Amino acid sequence: VLLSLPQEEDSEEEPKLKYERLSNGVTEILQKDAASCMTVHDKFLALGTHFGKVFLLDIQGNITQKFEISSVKINQISLDESGEHVGICSEDGKVQVFGLYTREGFHETFDCPVKLQMFVLHEGEGTITNVQWRTNLIAWANNVGVKIYDISTKQRITNVLRDNVSLRPDMYPCSLCWKDDSTLIVGWGTSIKICIVKERNPTEMRDLPSRYVEIVSAFETEFFICGLAPLADQLVTLYFVKENDEDFRARPRLDIIQSLPESCEEISSDALTVRNFQDNECRDYRLEHSEGESLFYIISPKDIVVAKERDQDDHIDWLLEKKKYEEALMAAEISFKNIKRHDIKKIGMSYINHLVKTGDYEGAARKCQKVLGKNMELWENEVYRFKTIGQLKAISQYLPRGDLRLRPAIYEMILHEFLKTDYESGLETLCSPLWPNYKNNMSYRYTYDQRYDKALEIYLRLRHKDVYQLIHKHNLFSSIEDKIVLLMDFDKEKAVDMLLDNEDKISIDRVVEELADKPEYLHVYLHKLFKRDHHKGQKYHERQIGLYAEYDRPNLLPFLRDSTHCPLEKVHGIYYFHEVTHVSRMGNCRRALQMIMEELANVDKAIDFAKEQDDAELWEDLISYSIDKPPFITGLLNNIGTHVDPILLIHRIKEGMEIPNLRDSLVKILQDYNLQVGKPLYQMDTDSY
């Protein structure tokens, strides 16, 4: 049962630990008794109770052995490294050390309650409430502070004074924990100190111990410390939480913190709903840990909770709970060798289901490629699901390809559905590289069913070589009237020959109409028509001049020579118009303007050309050419007002030259000028002209 309740239930921050109650035999024990202490061995657990009993438990909490030690509370239990001998001290002052499997050992009684068993290394500073032994170093706490003793040199190294002197040490006992062979963590009241035992420089020893202690970190916490344990370079801290109301007890907290020299950073914080937490005091809680597995045991009188680091499966659980399916799938793929409870394919299917549920059918279909892989059964199930929700189009483009193939019936079902409900999409799908084995089958099936119009469209989309044979064989000329462009796209030479051979079925006018937006195709058709018969397409000859000039200049003069249906004056104008366009595109604008003025003698076109190019040199050329041609001057006066200063043109007109409609042109110039400046420049007596 997960007992962690984050402070913010909707928090997006993933928990660091997971929790479960130690049950089985423990549940039975705590119904009749209460836990007072516990120690952890790699192989088993040893639990002491308020009624003086010691139980050996497996890691699931099942009872393997039971010892009746005393009639009063067990204060502490110690085990040797092998797990074969145990030392037990109880509230009545008795200490017992014996073999777990031989019961050989000794018993000793002291004058006062014994909190732990030890040799007499120090006395006279009150009750010793905690002791922790690591290699040659022993640390213990009494009413004054914490002492560290070096067994190898038989020297006491240091005395770390207690900070919270106002707190009763029996109600708020000291917590001691060795992080490694030289680092001791001390927690007392609301203060934490991290102490490192270091070797003293031989030149500094004199009468001092060979080792000394440096406090590398000291800081205050918000709540009262009940227990400490290391977690890599971080600390796990068990807190007793007491609010302002003295009678109110909140749930204990288990935090992971990062120690700093004078403060700490909270990494995670969980409030634990242990049984009867409202009745507990700070001294009722213990924190024990198993170094090898990063297991943390929170002991209280009526409950034992196990905290452990979350593994990759737990991480994936959290991602799925938060609907972060993409991240969950990625995490599973990266750690596929380490996950035990999760299956990559099942996570992927959950992701697909989520995308479908949220309406992202394209995303769901795209994920099918990655998730379903080579599992053809899953593929078929998904195809049927997408059909049910009307989304076959979404999944069709992601179906297995290459050597991986679904049953032909699946592909045919999709095609039939498309061609029935979404014909254009059906053709688009059919013509994709995904369907090489089914394209021809569909066209053959339509042919077999005598649905030749459908077969024809598939043939055209597929660029099937037999399309022309199909048209002739089944007389489909009425069906190709709106497909002439498709035929030309496929093979314009064959298409034109077929159209010309069957003029009685598809008229020249209809073909020209269909190709109106494809001038290059129209030229090919009309050119071949002209080669066959100079007179059949005569009404389009004038139009052909432009087509030849644009797409087939070498054949323009032969066409003009052989056609008797093009008026010479129009031929001249059209020909030179296209010549001008060609020269202009080549970048020779001055030559193009010269052709307009000299060959076409069209001042309006010359002015329009100069306006398009917006080049001062072209305007100068145009004025110079026009200055001795009165009709050209009239055209310039009427049109250049916004591009060239008309005064420049007027000054260059020879005195005495008769200019057609000069009066009207000058009035227009003045009107244009007034519009530009917003008020009349001067009054002019135009009658004098």
Side-chain angles (χ1 to χ4, degrees):
V1 179
L2 185 66
L3 301 175
S4 172
L5 293 176
Q7 290 177 332
E8 298 180 11
E9 294 188 3
D10 295 330
S11 173
E12 286 298 312
E13 188 171 342
E14 183 177 359
K16 302 297 182 184
L17 301 171
K18 60 180 178 178
Y19 301 87
E20 62 183 18
R21 278 193 169 93
L22 196 61
S23 55
N24 300 317
V26 171
T27 304
E28 179 184 346
I29 294 168
L30 299 185
Q31 284 175 348
K32 302 174 183 178
D33 204 340
S36 59
C37 61
M38 193 173 84
T39 190
V40 180
H41 190 271
D42 292 342
K43 301 175 183 177
F44 59 90
L45 310 173
L47 173 65
T49 73
H50 279 251
F51 290 173
K53 298 178 179 62
V54 172
F55 296 88
L56 299 188
L57 312 167
D58 63 20
I59 58 174
Q60 281 80 37
N62 297 301
I63 301 172
T64 59
Q65 279 186 277
K66 174 182 175 182
F67 302 102
E68 300 277 354
I69 301 299
S70 176
S71 59
V72 294
K73 183 172 73 170
I74 303 298
N75 285 332
Q76 193 159 352
I77 304 170
S78 292
L79 296 165
D80 66 349
E81 289 187 8
S82 67
E84 295 180 358
H85 296 86
V86 63
I88 303 169
C89 60
S90 55
E91 191 77 10
D92 57 6
K94 292 182 179 179
V95 174
Q96 298 186 38
V97 179
F98 57 86
L100 290 174
Y101 308 105
T102 64
R103 293 308 301 267
E104 295 179 354
F106 71 87
H107 301 255
E108 187 63 71
T109 302
F110 293 86
D111 294 334
C112 60
V114 178
K115 303 298 181 185
L116 47 96
Q117 67 282 0
M118 59 177 289
F119 298 105
V120 180
L121 302 178
H122 177 76
E123 59 184 349
E125 292 183 356
T127 304
I128 294 175
T129 56
N130 198 349
V131 64
Q132 295 293 328
W133 193 329
R134 182 83 173 221
T135 61
N136 292 325
L137 298 173
I138 300 177
W140 69 88
N142 58 27
N143 293 351
V144 176
V146 175
K147 313 293 189 293
I148 300 178
Y149 186 85
D150 186 349
I151 296 175
S152 63
T153 61
K154 297 181 180 180
Q155 293 176 311
R156 194 175 76 184
I157 298 173
T158 192
N159 177 26
V160 181
L161 295 177
R162 177 162 67 102
D163 292 332
N164 307 95
V165 294
S166 62
L167 297 175
R168 287 175 52 184
D170 59 327
M171 296 295 291
Y172 297 90
C174 177
S175 295
L176 298 175
C177 173
W178 286 101
K179 179 181 178 182
D180 52 43
D181 290 348
S182 60
T183 304
L184 177 68
I185 306 168
V186 179
W188 209 333
T190 57
S191 74
I192 292 178
K193 294 179 180 178
I194 300 178
C195 311
I196 297 182
V197 179
K198 297 186 175 183
E199 297 289 339
R200 196 183 299 276
N201 190 319
T203 61
E204 299 175 354
M205 282 188 186
R206 296 186 294 277
D207 296 328
L208 298 173
S210 61
R211 294 180 178 183
Y212 69 99
V213 168
E214 178 182 346
I215 299 176
V216 296
S217 177
F219 52 89
E220 290 292 315
T221 62
E222 185 178 358
F223 306 110
F224 298 102
I225 298 155
C226 308
L228 297 166
L231 177 62
D233 62 340
Q234 297 170 340
L235 282 179
V236 178
T237 57
L238 177 63
Y239 290 126
F240 171 68
V241 180
K242 187 162 76 170
E243 305 293 343
N244 294 332
D245 184 353
E246 289 292 326
D247 296 327
F248 179 77
R249 306 288 187 272
R251 293 175 298 167
R253 279 179 35 166
L254 193 71
D255 287 10
I256 298 176
I257 61 174
Q258 180 69 59
S259 63
L260 303 172
E262 297 181 354
S263 63
C264 67
E265 177 185 351
E266 181 184 291
I267 306 301
S268 72
S269 179
D270 299 322
L272 308 179
T273 309
V274 300
R275 294 188 181 100
N276 295 6
F277 68 87
Q278 302 92 336
D279 302 328
N280 296 338
E281 297 287 348
C282 183
R283 64 183 177 184
D284 294 321
Y285 293 106
R286 302 282 186 94
L287 178 64
E288 300 290 340
H289 73 286
S290 172
E291 295 184 14
E293 301 181 64
S294 293
L295 294 176
F296 305 93
Y297 296 85
I298 298 96
I299 301 103
S300 66
K302 289 295 181 180
D303 212 353
I304 298 176
V305 175
V306 185
K308 60 177 69 175
E309 286 189 277
R310 295 167 60 85
D311 57 21
Q312 199 66 8
D313 282 294
D314 299 313
H315 174 56
I316 293 171
D317 282 336
W318 183 82
L319 291 172
L320 293 175
E321 180 185 337
K322 296 295 182 181
K323 300 189 185 309
K324 299 183 177 184
Y325 294 97
E326 181 77 36
E327 295 176 45
L329 186 58
M330 186 180 301
E333 289 170 342
I334 292 173
S335 305
F336 70 95
K337 292 183 179 179
N338 298 323
I339 56 177
K340 299 174 182 177
R341 293 187 287 103
H342 286 288
D343 177 76
I344 293 176
K345 197 169 292 296
K346 288 182 180 178
I347 296 172
M349 289 304 301
S350 296
Y351 191 13
I352 292 172
N353 294 338
H354 171 72
L355 293 172
V356 169
K357 186 176 179 180
T358 57
D360 185 1
Y361 304 113
E362 174 68 22
R366 187 166 53 250
K367 279 298 166 190
C368 285
Q369 271 191 321
K370 182 176 183 180
V371 173
L372 305 184
K374 299 179 180 180
N375 191 319
M376 296 298 107
E377 181 180 353
L378 288 179
W379 266 111
E380 293 192 5
N381 290 341
E382 287 305 303
V383 171
Y384 283 117
R385 173 162 68 160
F386 274 71
K387 180 181 186 298
T388 302
I389 60 179
Q391 293 295 330
L392 277 177
K393 182 177 180 181
I395 199 171
S396 63
Q397 57 186 314
Y398 298 107
L399 294 181
R401 61 187 68 195
D403 296 334
L404 295 175
R405 291 284 167 185
L406 301 177
R407 290 183 298 113
I410 299 295
Y411 295 98
E412 292 186 10
M413 177 190 73
I414 294 173
L415 290 176
H416 277 298
E417 186 72 18
F418 274 175
L419 296 171
K420 181 174 68 176
T421 61
D422 189 355
Y423 190 67
E424 286 300 318
S425 295
L427 288 177
E428 181 182 339
T429 301
L430 188 65
C431 295
S432 73
L434 180 61
W435 302 78
N437 295 337
Y438 300 95
K439 300 172 186 175
N440 294 334
N441 290 344
M442 290 303 298
S443 58
Y444 293 150
R445 177 167 295 187
Y446 280 134
T447 303
Y448 180 79
D449 293 341
Q450 297 185 0
R451 295 173 63 183
Y452 302 121
D453 56 335
K454 301 291 187 184
L456 172 63
E457 187 152 358
I458 293 175
Y459 269 57
L460 281 172
R461 299 272 184 163
L462 298 177
R463 297 177 177 269
H464 198 292
K465 61 183 179 61
D466 294 335
V467 64
Y468 299 102
Q469 181 182 343
L470 180 73
I471 295 170
H472 283 290
K473 183 176 181 180
H474 300 288
N475 194 25
L476 300 178
F477 293 98
S478 61
S479 298
I480 67 169
E481 286 188 352
D482 60 347
K483 299 179 180 64
I484 292 173
V485 172
L486 282 175
L487 285 166
M488 297 285 281
D489 284 339
F490 180 27
D491 188 330
K492 56 179 177 288
E493 297 296 331
K494 277 190 177 182
V496 168
D497 288 340
M498 182 189 70
L499 293 169
L500 294 177
D501 290 341
N502 295 274
E503 287 179 41
D504 55 327
K505 297 176 179 127
I506 303 180
S507 68
I508 295 172
D509 292 343
R510 182 56 193 271
V511 175
V512 172
E513 180 184 348
E514 286 295 313
L515 297 179
D517 294 331
K518 294 283 186 177
E520 189 171 359
Y521 288 169
L522 179 60
H523 166 68
V524 173
Y525 173 76
L526 291 176
H527 173 65
K528 279 206 169 187
L529 175 63
F530 181 76
K531 297 293 284 183
R532 287 194 180 195
D533 189 321
H534 289 354
H535 306 289
K536 276 190 176 180
Q538 60 183 346
K539 68 178 179 179
Y540 299 111
H541 283 196
E542 184 176 332
R543 188 172 180 179
Q544 281 186 266
I545 297 172
L547 294 173
Y548 274 110
E550 182 70 21
Y551 300 107
D552 190 7
R553 297 179 66 81
N555 281 315
L556 176 57
L557 289 179
F559 169 75
L560 294 174
R561 184 185 63 236
D562 296 338
S563 173
T564 59
H565 303 285
C566 292
L568 288 178
E569 64 277 7
K570 288 189 176 181
V571 169
H572 182 266
I574 294 172
Y575 175 79
Y576 274 102
F577 172 76
H578 285 283
E579 278 293 308
V580 167
T581 302
H582 176 69
V583 171
S584 175
R585 286 177 181 172
M586 297 296 290
N588 195 343
C589 294
R590 299 187 73 178
R591 171 58 184 153
L593 179 64
Q594 183 182 359
M595 291 175 66
I596 295 173
M597 294 185 295
E598 295 179 357
E599 304 293 340
L600 298 179
N602 191 324
V603 66
D604 292 332
K605 287 188 180 297
I607 292 170
D608 288 341
F609 183 78
K611 287 180 179 179
E612 288 175 7
Q613 303 303 318
D614 195 22
D615 186 327
E617 289 187 0
L618 289 181
W619 283 109
E620 178 60 30
D621 288 349
L622 180 54
I623 292 172
S624 298
Y625 179 82
S626 305
I627 203 66
D628 59 351
K629 300 174 181 64
F632 272 52
I633 293 175
T634 300
L636 286 173
L637 289 172
N638 288 336
N639 290 281
I640 70 169
T642 57
H643 294 273
V644 178
D645 186 351
I647 299 300
L648 299 176
L649 174 61
I650 293 171
H651 282 319
R652 293 175 64 176
I653 298 174
K654 293 179 181 178
E655 187 176 349
M657 178 180 286
E658 293 187 8
I659 310 297
N661 301 316
L662 178 60
R663 179 178 179 277
D664 293 340
S665 298
L666 292 175
V667 170
K668 185 177 185 300
I669 289 173
L670 291 175
Q671 288 174 340
D672 290 345
Y673 185 83
N674 289 341
L675 287 174
Q676 291 180 49
V677 302
K679 60 181 180 179
L681 180 63
Y682 56 86
Q683 299 294 327
M684 177 180 286
D685 183 6
T686 55
D687 291 334
S688 63
Y689 287 87

